[in-house]
Amino acid sequence: ASTSFSARSAAADVPQTHSSPLPTTTMSAMSAQCVSVAAPRPAAALRRAGAARTVSRGAVRGVVVRAGDAVVNAAGVATPVLKTTRSAEIFKAAQEILPGGVNSPVRAFKSVGGGPIVFESVKGCNAFDVDGNKYIDYVGSWGPAICGHSNERVNAKLKLQIDKGCSFGAPCELENILGAMVIDRVPSVEMVRFCNSGTEACLSVLRVMRAFTGNDKIIKFEGCYHGHADPFLVQAGSGVATLGLPDSPGVPKAATNTTLCAPYNDLEAVKKIFAENKGEIAGIILEPVVGNAGFIIPDKAFLQGLRDLATENNALLCFDEVMTGFRISRGSAQEYWGVIPDLTTMGKVIGGGLPVGAYGGRREIMEIVAPAGPMYQAGTLSGNPLAMTAGIETLNILGEPGAYEHLEKVTSRLVAGILAAGKEAGHEVCGGSISGMFGFFFTEGPVRNFSDAQKSDTAKFARWHRGMLEEGVYLAPSQYEAGFTSLAHTEADIDATIAAAKRVMARI
């Protein structure tokens, strides 16, 4: 099924621009290690200053290989030189226009050093910057590009819709279609409300929990990020962790004194919070697979324990599936784990690359939302036809046979290869993946919560990140962010990435 899917969908969206024999790779299922056998060494997919030329030494099918300048160290190891002149110029100008030069903090590369890469275009699993460099991209617009960037099928639907109108400010049938698809796939959702971002979805669901239960206190987990609404900026992950900000100035104590925090994967800590706040807790919110403190997998018993505690205490359980929704399985993380929350927040994938958010849950809970009920929430662009169109076609593609099998295959092999490369080079490294979501830490591990993640060697991660950029691989610019694959990533892309990882691990 995976082969037929790739031939029809993923491969069609990735221009095959260069072809030569693949390296031979073997994997031991028992040891989860990849070993390259007589593998030719692919050059970095980079366009350099001067006359770039395509070379054939160890080129990998589907990856454009360029020759350029390199620096040779004392050991005689050549390191590619990444040309970023135009990116630096644009970022310098941006700092006079935008706070910190960006519109979302982690993009500034502060935790990995060097200036950010300024993109010019994206296609399939590749990103192209303003200096002419080409990268295999494992950020995927932070998750939405699950079908590959600029997917032809999604683009075709969007072009047709643009001629009909980008925003109505009135009901349209597309909202019904996407809403019905969400309800059909996500076990907890009987009604859904669309909004414009994951942050908006999470701040809205917090209001729903409080309105439905009549209680104010919520439980969240250290390192989990639920957007930048005031009550959530307490021991948050994502950019807050990346920048080392324990809290955010401008958030009044009154906004956070009803937010109670516990370590992830620590059910006893949650039991203690309930015991100390009897009858006062509205609900629990968490990422059912953490992606905003790096990639951290929960114990299923932990999730089921939260489900039981919420029920016993008349509180609501909300899974923040903005990141995991429709990515780790057809029915999201709750289907994968077999643990059903009362409420779910979504975003990213359901917008197909356009701004979107959604929250949904049991009918009796959702009917408290205006105009059905008294809890108010609204949005000018909520349910806009472009986001709905992109979301519908994205879910159609993900519904085809072989889609999730492809994500699991390429992602598990990618992570096994990176971990093997790290250990072979003598680094302490651990990590894992589920379907099209992955991550790793420069620490021996295991990593079960944010405190464990903070033991990582972030300075080494910064060197690793820069080295992979030089090799033509674009990863999230923070140790505390998950990575993403797409249906457009091919076996050749994984081969090239693992080969690059071996070179970089050896020289850092």
Side-chain angles (χ1 to χ4, degrees):
S2 180
T3 301
S4 63
F5 175 87
S6 298
R8 182 175 67 255
S9 301
D13 289 336
V14 183
Q16 301 298 304
T17 53
H18 189 81
S19 178
S20 67
L22 288 170
T24 303
T25 303
T26 61
M27 175 182 284
S28 165
M30 296 299 291
S31 64
Q33 292 185 350
C34 290
V35 182
S36 289
V37 181
R41 178 169 158 169
L46 303 172
R47 176 178 172 182
R48 310 297 182 193
R53 59 185 177 85
T54 301
V55 297
S56 60
R57 60 179 182 88
V60 177
R61 183 163 59 246
V63 180
V64 173
V65 182
R66 304 279 187 186
D69 299 329
V71 174
V72 180
N73 65 17
V77 178
T79 301
V81 176
L82 182 65
K83 180 189 174 187
T84 58
T85 306
R86 184 64 182 137
S87 280
E89 293 171 351
I90 293 172
F91 183 59
K92 181 179 180 180
Q95 292 176 80
E96 299 298 319
I97 302 166
L98 312 170
V102 293
N103 281 306
S104 193
V106 74
R107 300 177 192 173
F109 277 40
K110 281 188 173 291
S111 71
V112 292
I117 302 300
V118 178
F119 283 11
E120 184 171 65
S121 65
V122 288
K123 184 65 180 176
C125 70
N126 296 122
F128 304 85
D129 72 17
V130 292
D131 288 284
N133 302 310
K134 176 182 178 180
Y135 307 89
I136 303 172
D137 178 25
Y138 292 102
V139 176
S141 191
W142 301 95
I146 193 167
C147 297
H149 290 296
S150 193
N151 180 274
E152 296 293 343
R153 287 174 54 179
V154 176
N155 284 357
K157 296 290 185 180
L158 284 171
K159 290 171 184 176
L160 290 173
Q161 182 57 48
I162 286 172
D163 288 337
K164 298 179 181 179
C166 297
S167 177
F168 297 156
C172 68
E173 190 177 12
L174 295 168
E175 297 169 282
N176 293 6
I177 296 171
L178 184 55
M181 295 175 79
V182 171
I183 291 168
D184 175 64
R185 299 187 190 198
V186 184
S188 69
V189 178
E190 297 175 352
M191 297 188 83
V192 62
R193 166 63 62 87
F194 291 108
C195 50
N196 296 289
S197 70
T199 287
E200 188 180 355
C202 288
L203 69 86
S204 299
V205 87
L206 172 59
R207 191 177 302 156
V208 169
M209 289 194 288
R210 288 170 166 168
F212 186 78
T213 64
N215 295 324
D216 292 337
K217 294 181 179 180
I218 60 161
I219 299 173
K220 72 174 291 289
F221 294 88
E222 297 166 4
C224 285
Y225 178 74
H226 307 291
H228 56 83
D230 287 357
F232 293 130
L233 289 180
V234 179
Q235 299 182 49
S238 191
V240 179
T242 297
L243 299 176
L245 303 175
D247 295 296
S248 175
V251 177
K253 291 182 179 179
T256 59
N257 61 16
T258 55
T259 303
L260 310 172
C261 289
Y264 199 78
N265 270 323
D266 189 341
L267 191 60
E268 291 304 312
V270 181
K271 290 179 179 178
K272 184 178 179 181
I273 291 174
F274 270 109
E276 294 174 349
N277 298 271
K278 282 188 176 296
E280 299 180 67
I281 294 175
I284 307 167
I285 186 168
L286 78 157
E287 297 177 76
V289 175
V290 179
N292 288 292
F295 179 82
I296 302 174
I297 298 174
D299 297 328
K300 182 176 178 180
F302 170 67
L303 297 181
Q304 186 58 56
L306 295 179
R307 172 66 281 172
D308 296 341
L309 283 172
T311 302
E312 293 166 8
N313 290 275
N314 297 314
L316 300 177
L317 176 64
C318 177
F319 281 2
D320 178 353
E321 300 230 39
V322 170
M323 192 173 286
T324 56
F326 310 101
R327 175 163 281 281
I328 69 171
S329 78
R330 184 179 183 276
S332 306
Q334 56 200 259
E335 179 187 68
Y336 180 88
W337 294 116
V339 178
I340 311 304
D342 300 296
L343 292 161
T344 301
T345 58
M346 296 159 279
K348 297 187 185 291
V349 167
I350 59 165
L354 276 70
V356 76
Y359 59 99
R362 299 201 320 259
R363 180 177 296 273
E364 63 174 313
I365 301 172
M366 291 301 294
E367 285 182 337
I368 203 169
V369 179
M375 193 226 81
Y376 195 74
Q377 181 266 320
T380 299
L381 296 174
S382 296
N384 74 83
L386 285 184
M388 299 297 100
T389 294
I392 290 166
E393 192 58 24
T394 295
L395 292 192
N396 281 336
I397 294 169
L398 290 173
E400 294 178 357
Y404 289 99
E405 290 81 358
H406 177 84
L407 292 171
E408 176 63 34
K409 181 180 179 181
V410 297
T411 313
S412 60
R413 196 163 77 82
L414 170 71
V415 172
I418 290 174
L419 294 179
K423 291 172 183 177
E424 182 181 332
H427 300 294
E428 290 187 348
V429 61
C430 66
S433 67
I434 300 177
S435 187
M437 184 175 174
F438 70 91
F440 54 91
F441 300 90
F442 279 101
T443 184
E444 184 177 359
V447 173
R448 302 185 70 252
N449 53 43
F450 187 44
S451 178
D452 290 341
Q454 289 179 304
K455 298 172 185 176
S456 299
D457 187 337
T458 54
K460 183 176 287 186
F461 177 86
R463 297 195 299 274
W464 150 263
H465 183 270
R466 188 66 188 183
M468 292 300 278
L469 279 179
E470 292 166 347
E471 295 283 351
V473 178
Y474 190 87
L475 298 162
S478 170
Q479 174 73 91
Y480 303 119
E481 297 285 355
F484 305 102
T485 54
S486 74
L487 299 179
H489 283 86
T490 67
E491 295 291 344
D493 297 312
I494 304 305
D495 288 334
T497 304
I498 292 172
K502 289 182 177 181
R503 294 192 293 274
V504 176
M505 289 291 190
R507 66 178 184 253
I508 64 170

